[in-house]
Amino acid sequence: GVPRAPVGVVGADASVLEVEQVGVNDDNGDALGNDNGDDDNASENAEDCDKAADVSRAMLERTSTSLNASVATKGPSSNNAETARDSSSGKGGNAAADGAGGGKLPTGSAASAPSSFLCPISMDIMTDPVMVATGHTYDRCNIERWLFQQNNRTCPVTGLRLRHLELTANFALRNAIQEWAETNGVALPTPRRQPAGPTRSPANILEGHDEIIWAMEVSGKRLFSASADRTVRVWSTESLRCDVVLEEHARPVLSLAMGSGKLFSGSYDCRICAWDLESLRLLACMEGHNDAVRAMVVAGRLLFSGSYDNTCRVWRVDTYACVAKLVGHAGPVRTLVCSGSRVFSGSYDKTVRAWESGTLQCVASLEGHSGAVRALAAGSGMVFSGSDDATVRVWDHDSCTCLRTLEGHEDNVRVLAVDDRHLFSGSWDKTVRVWCLSTLTCLRVLEGHCEAVLALAVCNNRYIVSGSYDTTVRFFSLETFNCEKIGEGHEDAVRVLASSDDGVVYSGSYDGSVGVWQGGQ
């Protein structure tokens, strides 16, 4: 449990400044043109609807792909040992004959060997036995072909999905096979390995959350994960164990922010909770929004929060008092970014608004997108907005004018990231695009994911890391832009990524698990 101090509920009072932009459309219709009026539940479950739509869309794409694959081939898609055996040593090509198989021996030798010495895939004597996550053992060359060339994610014997793709050498069984072969005069061929490709790194998968992870933050030797199960979990980055569970919210926790030695958590329950980063004590509950708190950012001594109630609120991080309500958006506020003395808010109303953090006045409404704005990033004196219209717009920080519209993606732009030289955009079109900050041109299209890209993180100035609906995490080199590592282990979509200064990347998944990947070491 967490030490609890007397906590006061801090709410908005008559002294709160309501900032309204002159000439702004005061219509409360949402991004779809619906009349929300003053209904507190107007955007209720908006993010859940987003997730449901995403899941439905992904399922349709998966179904289509599976049907096409079934029509095109009878390869190892049935996820059982017999199918794997066909592709390994029979109908799919003789594995031993092409030099890729493991230990194809005369029938009499294999027939006289104990059944535990035979690979369930090829039914040949194993020369390099390895265990998968289910505990079953296979010859390395056969299981590597099954997993990494044929892209299966299940145990051939049981059909169960593997929690990770790490292969563990079964030394005891290998020694037993070698002793038996020597006693019986059977010559075992040299084990053969599959051609090298991108390193497939097994993850340390941390279990604890019961539902989707919406947000993550790293601070020192702690990782914070916010989940739809209404909790924030605090993990030790050294022991990889959950030290504390922060329980105060009544509904899913959607957003996290840190500043001034405090952690802030925003929830569907319309509240923001403030926690001491060291003691993890609950310091305050901040009330004022009347719908989900979807985004937060700390700017100096102020906390900005964006909500599905179409507003942003500004709070003092020392007293937790709400000092301003920023109105003007005509749809849910989805994302926030701080750039210099300004905070920019992106909304489902297709606009971006620029707020001066000193005066708390709206200095500009940035218009041009034809779809909801889901992602913002800032760098090199520019602000970038990614939209459902499949474009990224580049805005000058000072003048708030549009410098360029970056086109190329074929579907919604869901996530943005920047380093000192590049802008990265991830899309439902399954790709990551790399843009040069100095020329605002596309340098490379990073491919490999077989479903939508939902998360991006820059790791230790060595990798741009992407998380996808295909359940994988990919590490692309910032020098060559080649995919050098593939992390597998999640059972569902990778929704969020966070990186630490020591080159470790953390992934949060729809399955409620946290993945830990050694990226920059």
Side-chain angles (χ1 to χ4, degrees):
V2 181
R4 297 293 294 273
V7 178
V9 176
V10 182
D13 56 29
S15 64
V16 173
L17 172 67
E18 181 162 314
V19 182
E20 190 162 2
Q21 179 72 5
V22 177
V24 169
N25 180 10
D26 291 330
D27 175 38
N28 284 323
D30 63 14
L32 299 178
N34 300 317
D35 182 13
N36 290 338
D38 293 324
D39 183 2
D40 288 349
N41 295 319
S43 58
E44 180 74 14
N45 295 325
E47 197 68 40
D48 288 342
C49 291
D50 276 353
K51 179 189 172 185
D54 289 353
V55 170
S56 299
R57 180 172 181 172
M59 289 179 64
L60 286 172
E61 292 182 0
R62 289 174 182 168
T63 302
S64 175
T65 301
S66 298
L67 288 173
N68 291 336
S70 298
V71 172
T73 178
K74 297 231 174 192
S77 58
S78 60
N79 294 337
N80 57 53
E82 172 122 17
T83 307
R85 193 176 305 131
D86 288 345
S87 64
S88 176
S89 59
K91 302 166 190 176
N94 191 308
D98 64 14
K104 184 73 173 180
L105 300 175
T107 304
S109 300
S112 62
S115 60
S116 60
F117 291 1
L118 306 182
C119 176
I121 294 177
S122 65
M123 296 308 295
D124 294 329
I125 297 177
M126 292 181 282
T127 59
D128 189 9
V130 293
M131 289 186 293
V132 297
T134 58
H136 289 274
T137 297
Y138 304 90
D139 211 6
R140 183 185 295 273
C141 62
N142 293 324
I143 193 63
E144 284 185 344
R145 182 188 301 108
W146 170 257
L147 295 174
F148 304 139
Q149 289 189 1
Q150 297 165 354
N151 293 320
N152 295 292
R153 299 294 177 266
T154 55
C155 173
V157 169
T158 65
L160 297 175
R161 188 173 183 88
L162 297 172
R163 292 291 296 168
H164 60 76
L165 300 186
E166 183 175 4
L167 302 178
T168 304
N170 192 333
F171 293 110
L173 181 57
R174 186 172 68 181
N175 291 337
I177 293 173
Q178 290 174 347
E179 290 177 4
W180 175 87
E182 184 176 346
T183 300
N184 291 273
V186 177
L188 298 177
T190 302
R192 305 293 294 270
R193 296 293 186 92
Q194 295 301 316
T199 302
R200 292 180 180 261
S201 305
N204 288 301
I205 298 295
L206 312 182
E207 304 284 353
H209 285 298
D210 296 327
E211 297 184 44
I212 181 175
I213 295 175
W214 283 115
M216 293 195 302
E217 291 284 348
V218 181
S219 176
K221 297 179 180 179
R222 284 172 170 167
L223 168 71
F224 300 89
S225 57
S227 169
D229 65 10
R230 301 175 293 178
T231 70
V232 177
R233 283 185 172 260
V234 186
W235 310 84
S236 166
T237 59
E238 294 180 317
S239 67
L240 300 183
R241 298 177 64 88
C242 179
D243 291 337
V244 177
V245 180
L246 307 181
E247 299 177 282
E248 182 64 29
H249 288 291
R251 299 197 61 197
V253 186
L254 298 177
S255 54
L256 295 174
M258 294 188 300
S260 299
K262 297 164 187 176
L263 172 74
F264 300 93
S265 55
S267 168
Y268 254 130
D269 63 14
C270 310
R271 299 187 304 160
I272 299 170
C273 288
W275 312 84
D276 185 275
L277 269 179
E278 291 301 319
S279 67
L280 301 177
R281 289 186 306 112
L282 179 64
L283 302 174
C285 293
M286 302 144 69
E287 297 186 349
H289 285 296
N290 56 31
D291 209 330
V293 181
R294 187 60 185 90
M296 295 186 296
V297 66
V298 175
R301 306 296 296 177
L302 298 175
L303 171 71
F304 286 73
S305 57
S307 170
Y308 285 158
D309 64 10
N310 301 0
T311 73
C312 296
R313 283 182 176 261
V314 187
W315 316 78
R316 287 179 60 109
V317 298
D318 52 355
T319 65
Y320 316 110
C322 182
V323 296
K325 176 183 177 182
L326 311 182
V327 299
H329 279 299
V333 178
R334 176 64 176 77
T335 178
L336 296 170
V337 70
C338 182
S339 177
S341 63
R342 291 176 177 173
V343 171
F344 293 79
S345 56
S347 169
Y348 288 171
D349 69 4
K350 310 174 188 177
T351 71
V352 177
R353 284 181 172 260
W355 310 90
E356 194 66 47
S357 60
T359 63
L360 302 181
Q361 296 293 318
C362 181
V363 295
S365 178
L366 287 55
E367 301 179 357
H369 283 297
S370 59
V373 177
R374 293 184 182 271
L376 290 175
S380 300
M382 295 175 285
V383 175
F384 310 94
S385 56
S387 169
D388 283 358
D389 64 13
T391 71
V392 178
R393 283 186 172 255
V394 185
W395 311 88
D396 180 80
H397 170 275
D398 296 321
S399 66
C400 293
T401 57
C402 184
L403 301 177
R404 187 166 301 182
T405 300
L406 307 182
E407 299 179 329
H409 281 298
E410 298 177 356
D411 211 329
N412 302 353
V413 178
R414 297 301 297 266
V415 61
L416 299 173
V418 293
D419 65 11
D420 56 355
R421 295 179 296 162
H422 309 103
L423 166 71
F424 307 94
S425 54
S427 169
W428 261 101
D429 66 11
K430 310 172 187 178
T431 70
V432 176
R433 283 185 172 256
V434 184
W435 310 86
C436 176
L437 288 182
S438 59
T439 63
L440 297 180
T441 56
C442 184
L443 298 177
R444 190 72 66 93
V445 179
L446 309 183
E447 299 179 319
H449 286 296
C450 59
E451 293 189 39
V453 177
L454 301 180
L456 291 173
V458 177
C459 174
N460 220 26
N461 290 320
R462 291 185 58 187
Y463 298 102
I464 175 64
V465 187
S466 56
S468 169
Y469 238 118
D470 65 14
T471 77
T472 69
V473 177
R474 285 181 173 260
F475 290 74
F476 295 92
S477 167
L478 287 178
E479 294 300 321
T480 64
F481 295 117
N482 293 327
C483 180
E484 294 188 353
K485 302 180 182 182
I486 302 174
E488 298 173 298
H490 289 298
E491 292 186 338
D492 208 335
V494 177
R495 183 61 183 83
V496 62
L497 294 171
S499 62
S500 65
D501 293 337
D502 56 357
V504 180
V505 174
Y506 303 92
S507 54
S509 170
Y510 273 17
D511 64 16
S513 67
V514 174
V516 184
W517 319 86
Q518 298 293 331
Q521 297 178 344

